[in-house]
Amino acid sequence: MPHCNLTGDPIDPRQAEAAVGGPDRGALASFQGVVRDHHAGRRVRRLEYHAYRPMAEAILAEVAAEAAARFGTPHIAIVHRIGDLGVGETSLLVVVAAVHRREALAACAWLVDEVKARAPIWKKEFGDDGVFWIEGPDGCRVGEPPL
């Protein structure tokens, strides 16, 4: 059964790996999205993630169930941070365990794309040039129309 949640606490990859690993699984694929110090040519100091929690948690469970059916493994963990994050902190963790690497790697990549496309989770970026809400490749400064 997939393990999906939002958390305000730092993400522990080992905890997620232990939750999905098992003696019948020969592959463990993971992805960690980490806060970087720049975006679109601007310096980034920190991020805030906001979410519509009930819907976001339902979407995480939905994409995990879709991945389980599509890739043949229900051994999935998706954890997304909300709240304040500094540069270098993990914002998204996806871990998939499967019998073989091909399924684990494909499921992991697919899940990252689907979470980013479908989950109602928004990123607010704080940097030297101001504060920006980020959605897709562009963003908009707080209080101004989109770029």
Side-chain angles (χ1 to χ4, degrees), residues 35-119:
V35 177
R36 62 183 179 270
D37 67 356
H38 66 282
H39 178 255
R42 297 185 304 261
R43 182 175 177 100
V44 174
R45 301 285 183 182
R46 67 182 183 91
L47 299 178
E48 277 181 11
Y49 279 96
H50 299 261
Y52 176 49
R53 190 176 204 117
M55 187 177 186
E57 289 177 339
I59 294 292
L60 296 182
E62 180 180 293
V63 298
E66 289 176 27
R70 178 182 289 237
F71 299 99
T73 181
H75 311 292
I76 295 168
I78 305 170
V79 184
H80 204 301
R81 281 282 300 271
I82 54 174
D84 293 322
L85 284 84
V87 170
E89 290 190 78
T90 299
S91 58
L92 172 63
L93 174 68
V94 175
V95 181
V96 179
V99 174
H100 302 289
R101 73 180 182 276
R102 191 170 317 265
E103 294 82 4
L105 290 166
C108 188
W110 185 87
L111 282 161
V112 171
D113 290 342
E114 292 300 307
V115 167
K116 291 181 75 63
R118 294 166 51 182

